Amino acid sequence: MRILVGISGGIAAYKAITLVRRLRDAGCEVQVVLTESAAQFVTPLSLQAVSGAPVRSSLFDAAAEAGMDHIALARWADQVIIAPASADVLARMANGMANDLLTTLVLATSAPVSVAPAMNRQMWAHPAVQVNIATLKARGVRVIGPASGAQACGELGAGRMEEPEAIASALLAPTSSVNWQGKRVVITAGGTREPIDPVRFIANRSSGKMGFALAASAQAAGAAVTLICGPNALPTPSGVTRIEVETALEMQAAVMGVAQMDVFIGAAAVADYRVAEPATHKIKKIIDADTLTLTLVKNPDIIRTVALRQPKPFVVGFAAETEQLNHYAHQKRVAKGMDMICANWVGDGLAFDQPDNALTVLWAGGEHRLMRAEKFTLAVQLVELINQVMKQS
Ligand code: C5P
């Protein structure tokens, strides 16, 4: 995919370097265009190094125009992303101005245009900015973020540029053929941590990647997505509500706390057991004892409780198996009251903490195999399959 990355002035401009790198890592060709003020925050030379192409900023650069003129550049792009998009560039775009190379390209391209706004929270909340955003959205411009959190100006609120990884995955997300507008989807992801004492815990190898990919894919289908996840460093897919938990009990409480859901996907590797009584102080090594006994108690089965809810959401679970995949997965689906189960083999470079996966999906009266692929591709296929089976049932 050919992506034109436009960078406007703002402290977040340095993050555009990571964005370009992520896009290149994913196999994209990238050309970078800077506004005049962006060059105050990030150097053309570093962007040239990461993009592998000359960086442009002027409409009147005779040498660059002789190579690929601005109209050719606008036609070259499969997608345009402006990150960071300052209040100024948004205003100029909303008004159809063409007073620099970047805004001219935006008018001249037929490719989809996305913006990742970044500005102080007061500026973002200003009605003038919000009117411009509404105008751009109405014209089909995709708005990625902004995220909330600590800002460079020392304030806290909405206006931070979305993380480069989240912007890259939003751009690379295959467009969904599913329409889940108005649907509420709840997804659990990652592994839980069960404390032993204040410094130790029992955990597992789940990375959360499959659940995060499903959240992005359900969001791309138009659903309102709540992602309840164990500790991990994955970026939140744009537009998804993330609730972070540590233990299975906290995960269950967070799931119970969601009032209404149409689809529930349990992709989390929830610990089956927790330590009965975690120590309040660090457990000391006993010099003359070779063993230490921990008493574990069973955790609640989150997916089973969700399957008992009225009205019942469409419940999808996962099963990681090392033998008799279909047999055990089928049993698990029925025992837990799931509508659909996605079974995967553990090992062979698949499933836990791996980028790829392959799934056998079972439901009452049906079975479908999703061949080995990157988890994001699988997630899109799985959302399509869930949608089909939901319509039949
Ligand atoms: O029984 P097993 O752990 O293999 O079942 C896996 C499925 O059940 C997954 O969908 C997982 O998210 C869900 N699960 C759960 N609560 C538990 C254990 C598993 O929701 N306590």
Side-chain angles (χ1 to χ4, degrees):
M1 193 185 305
R2 296 160 159 185
I3 303 191
L4 185 72
V5 177
I7 304 175
S8 63
I11 192 70
Y14 75 94
K15 289 190 187 174
I17 294 179
T18 313
L19 172 63
V20 171
R21 194 174 282 148
R22 293 287 167 272
L23 294 173
R24 295 270 289 157
D25 289 347
C28 300
E29 279 179 64
V30 177
Q31 297 243 23
V32 176
V33 171
L34 292 176
T35 63
E36 203 177 309
S37 52
Q40 304 290 327
F41 294 92
V42 68
T43 69
L45 208 57
S46 29
L47 285 158
Q48 180 168 325
V50 286
S51 68
V55 170
R56 298 188 51 177
S57 57
S58 171
L59 196 48
F60 308 108
D61 181 333
E65 285 285 301
M68 190 193 283
D69 70 32
H70 61 277
I71 299 296
L73 188 56
R75 286 197 191 124
W76 169 90
D78 295 320
Q79 284 208 57
V80 177
I81 167 75
I82 301 167
S86 63
D88 178 68
V89 90
L90 293 171
R92 290 191 287 127
M93 283 170 67
N95 286 288
M97 289 174 73
N99 56 347
D100 64 1
L101 178 62
L102 184 55
T103 45
T104 305
L105 287 168
V106 168
L107 290 185
T109 192
S110 58
V113 176
S114 306
V115 293
M119 65 199 76
N120 162 274
R121 66 177 179 90
Q122 295 276 12
M123 292 172 73
W124 172 249
H126 197 285
V129 173
Q130 289 305 313
V131 166
N132 289 336
I133 285 287
T135 305
L136 292 171
K137 276 187 178 168
R139 273 188 216 141
V141 171
R142 178 180 186 185
V143 180
I144 303 173
S148 287
Q151 299 203 292
C153 51
E155 293 184 14
L156 204 67
R160 269 170 73 105
M161 190 174 91
E162 193 63 90
E163 289 306 321
E165 288 79 7
I167 299 174
S169 51
L171 294 176
L172 301 175
T175 41
S176 181
S177 61
V178 173
N179 181 1
W180 275 0
Q181 214 86 44
K183 288 222 184 305
R184 293 147 304 190
V185 176
V186 178
I187 299 174
T188 63
T192 60
R193 274 183 189 172
E194 307 300 328
I196 297 171
D197 67 17
V199 294
R200 305 183 180 96
F201 52 80
I202 299 174
N204 59 64
R205 290 187 191 279
S206 170
S207 64
K209 284 181 191 146
M210 192 68 219
F212 274 64
L214 281 163
S217 147
Q219 216 276 335
V225 182
T226 304
L227 178 62
I228 301 170
C229 62
N232 69 71
L234 296 173
T236 313
S238 182
V240 166
T241 305
R242 175 183 190 145
I243 302 176
E244 292 183 353
V245 297
E246 263 199 47
T247 64
L249 289 180
E250 286 170 13
M251 185 171 274
Q252 190 196 30
V255 171
M256 306 278 266
V258 181
Q260 288 170 318
M261 54 179 93
D262 302 297
V263 179
F264 177 82
I265 307 177
V270 186
D272 289 327
Y273 295 91
R274 66 180 180 278
V275 176
E277 281 176 45
T280 43
H281 294 287
K282 187 179 167 196
I283 299 173
K284 294 280 179 232
K285 187 162 35 185
I286 306 167
I287 304 295
D288 49 6
D290 286 338
T291 58
L292 170 73
T293 306
L294 291 174
T295 304
L296 305 179
V297 289
K298 215 177 212 160
N299 270 327
D301 197 306
I302 300 171
I303 208 160
R304 198 194 289 259
T305 46
V306 173
L308 294 172
R309 278 172 83 128
Q310 288 302 332
K312 183 177 180 286
F314 190 87
V315 177
V316 183
F318 278 76
E321 305 290 348
T322 54
E323 54 177 347
Q324 297 187 53
L325 185 90
N326 284 31
H327 174 67
Y328 285 127
H330 172 75
Q331 276 188 348
K332 203 168 280 181
R333 184 184 78 73
V334 176
K336 297 198 186 205
M338 301 178 196
D339 297 288
M340 185 183 257
I341 192 158
C342 313
N344 46 18
W345 294 103
V346 183
D348 197 21
L350 294 170
F352 283 98
D353 206 15
Q354 299 295 328
D356 282 9
N357 208 354
L359 297 171
T360 299
V361 186
L362 308 171
W363 61 95
E367 177 180 333
H368 187 76
R369 290 193 70 175
L370 297 176
M371 294 306 165
R372 180 174 184 152
E374 202 264 328
K375 285 179 177 169
F376 203 90
T377 310
L378 271 186
V380 171
Q381 294 169 351
L382 189 54
V383 164
E384 277 166 7
L385 189 59
I386 295 171
N387 190 49
Q388 270 174 33
V389 175
M390 258 169 73
K391 278 189 188 156
Q392 291 160 14
S393 56

